[in-house]
Amino acid sequence: QVQLLQSGAEVKEPGASVRISCKISGYTFTADYYFHWLRQAPGQGREWMGKINPSGGTTFYPHTLQGRVTMTRDTSTNTVYMELSSLRSEDTATYYCVRGNQFAFDVWGQGTMVTVSS
Amino acid sequence: QSALTQPPSASGSPGQSVTISCTGTSSDVGGYNYVSWYQQHPGKVPKLMIYEVNKRPSGVPDRFSGSKSGNTASLTVSGLQAEDEADYFCTSFAGLHYVFGTGTKVTVL
């Protein structure tokens, strides 16, 4: 079965960048599925951060994060990455890698906590 | 990205039914049949319970059902069981992005 294993927790200073990895097992990269990144800040709502098709590398980002978020993939290691730049305190959140299927999210990574603090 | 509105809490006794609403706009819930529902137990990863308004993934009990009317989607849990006590949130496709519900804590009395 498909499993998503994310990298560990990160602590970053304001203005820095963070890159989170999501290793995908039990699945061969095809054009059938996109992998999305979601986040939830403490006590806040969930936010969709964008998606990437691991096969062709096509990405889509919401306008609210345009210019700060970059999603990439490495087909040799079946890994997708999410990099967020110019970090600020409000980026403190748990970040999730999830598989998109029929406009829903059917497989979830375990989550990665990112803390932005000076 | 405005959040979809859910009641903060809902409850029912074992065997009863509970229905959770998820209210959006014509740009999200009302505009697409792409509403999904998730169950999340404390400290656990969310689990997909309903997709495309009323479809259940394999393995999800038929006690869980979904529906939609206008800009409001609903999740009904029939025959409540102790293990149904969890947080539930909805999600809707909104054209160029996705929006999420505010979440509802379901308590089994």
Side-chain angles (χ1 to χ4, degrees):
Chain A
Q1 83 227 35
V2 180
Q3 291 186 317
L4 309 180
L5 182 62
Q6 298 180 221
S7 50
E10 302 265 10
V11 179
K12 295 291 183 181
E13 292 190 348
S17 297
V18 67
R19 189 174 84 151
I20 304 170
S21 66
C22 173
K23 185 169 178 59
I24 304 163
S25 61
Y27 170 74
T28 301
F29 280 8
T30 69
D32 293 339
Y33 299 106
Y34 276 80
F35 285 80
H36 303 242
W37 289 89
L38 317 175
R39 68 178 178 178
Q40 183 171 23
Q44 302 297 312
R46 295 169 180 86
E47 181 182 9
W48 181 74
M49 300 183 68
K51 65 180 182 180
I52 180 169
N53 182 289
S55 175
T58 305
T59 56
F60 294 91
Y61 309 129
H63 67 88
T64 51
L65 290 173
Q66 282 280 359
R68 284 216 299 145
V69 66
T70 304
M71 297 176 187
T72 57
R73 93 289 191 211
D74 183 340
T75 55
S76 67
T77 60
N78 272 23
T79 303
V80 295
Y81 299 89
M82 189 283 298
E83 182 168 7
L84 188 62
S85 62
S86 302
L87 289 170
R88 34 217 194 212
S89 59
E90 50 265 43
D91 293 318
T92 294
T94 298
Y95 291 74
Y96 292 95
C97 169
V98 300
R99 188 178 77 168
N101 188 0
Q102 301 294 96
F103 295 90
F105 309 119
D106 66 342
V107 184
W108 292 64
Q110 83 276 22
T112 297
M113 181 67 200
V114 174
T115 302
V116 182
S117 174
S118 54
Chain B
Q1 301 182 29
S2 298
L4 306 175
T5 301
Q6 296 181 232
S9 62
S11 62
S13 300
Q16 290 186 332
S17 295
V18 65
T19 296
I20 305 165
S21 61
C22 168
T23 301
T25 70
S26 58
S27 296
D28 38 65
V29 175
Y32 305 91
N33 287 324
Y34 295 133
V35 176
S36 50
W37 288 90
Y38 303 82
Q39 176 191 68
Q40 187 173 21
H41 289 105
K44 299 294 186 180
V45 169
K47 176 184 177 183
L48 176 64
M49 306 301 285
I50 295 287
Y51 68 99
E52 290 184 1
V53 176
N54 56 14
K55 298 178 181 178
R56 278 188 312 276
S58 174
V60 172
D62 59 7
R63 303 185 293 103
F64 292 85
S65 62
S67 62
K68 191 185 86 167
S69 177
N71 296 337
T72 298
S74 298
L75 172 72
T76 297
V77 185
S78 305
L80 267 175
Q81 299 182 4
E83 59 262 35
D84 299 332
E85 184 162 296
D87 290 324
Y88 294 81
F89 65 91
C90 58
T91 300
S92 176
F93 180 65
L96 297 178
H97 63 281
Y98 290 80
V99 289
F100 293 87
T102 49
T104 299
K105 178 172 176 55
V106 170
T107 301
V108 181
L109 301 172

